[in-house]
Amino acid sequence: MRIRKTPRRSLALAAALAALPATVLTAPAQAAAGTPPVDFVELPASPLPPGHATQAITVTYRNSSPADRTVAPQILIESPEDGPFLDPASIRLDLLSPDGQWCTVPLASQTGTLYTQLIPAKLVLHGHHTLTEHYRVTVVAAAPVQGTVEPRVALY
């Protein structure tokens, strides 16, 4: 009976792979879940629409590289510099889903900025493909609200 020896390099590689967290070995969008973006692509900003009006926002980003890239579209809604801070309950943000339905996107708030979460928005954009997402923002507050809508795309 022949006994086959496993080279030490293979054993060391197997041990190293076993020690890695499972997220490292999964799809790029999942692997990058806990890592911060390396850059942002800022898209043109616009003022919030007047009370109870709806404004369309289109986020478009082209991956000009041949390699796949993890990206996440994000909408920021900035309060005026002189205040008052915007309240998430004053603004409704909707995203057009692939099946043509508008879905409300929750807004978080930090120091006068309302924003959409990055992690749920992450996706892998294949090389030389374009991401296009359609949003609509509506001011639902009774009192006049001022601010700026700033779309961007996070790059991982």
Side-chain angles (χ1 to χ4, degrees):
M1 171 195 241
R2 274 184 81 146
I3 297 176
R4 188 169 183 184
K5 285 184 99 175
T6 304
R8 283 188 178 169
R9 284 181 300 209
S10 297
L11 290 174
L13 178 60
L17 288 174
L20 288 174
T23 57
V24 174
L25 304 174
T26 60
Q30 293 172 341
T35 60
V38 295
D39 202 3
F40 288 93
V41 175
E42 305 292 335
L43 301 172
S46 60
L48 269 174
H52 301 295
T54 297
Q55 174 184 340
I57 302 164
T58 301
V59 173
T60 303
Y61 173 74
R62 175 150 177 84
N63 180 1
S64 57
S65 163
D68 290 354
R69 175 150 221 175
T70 301
V71 299
Q74 185 177 45
I75 304 294
L76 304 176
I77 303 174
E78 296 280 347
S79 297
E81 282 190 33
D82 56 350
F85 284 171
L86 292 168
D87 178 4
S90 301
I91 308 291
R92 188 180 72 234
L93 181 69
D94 299 311
L95 170 65
L96 186 61
S97 68
D99 66 357
Q101 301 294 316
W102 287 102
C103 304
T104 300
V105 179
L107 291 169
S109 178
Q110 182 176 357
T111 320
T113 300
L114 307 181
Y115 60 93
T116 57
Q117 298 288 334
L118 287 173
I119 291 175
K122 279 186 182 181
L123 54 94
V124 175
L125 185 61
H126 297 295
H128 302 294
H129 281 78
T130 300
L131 164 71
T132 302
E133 289 200 344
H134 301 280
Y135 294 86
R136 65 182 183 193
V137 62
T138 306
V139 175
V140 295
V145 176
Q146 293 182 340
T148 306
V149 180
E150 300 176 4
R152 66 185 187 173
V153 177
L155 306 176
Y156 294 85

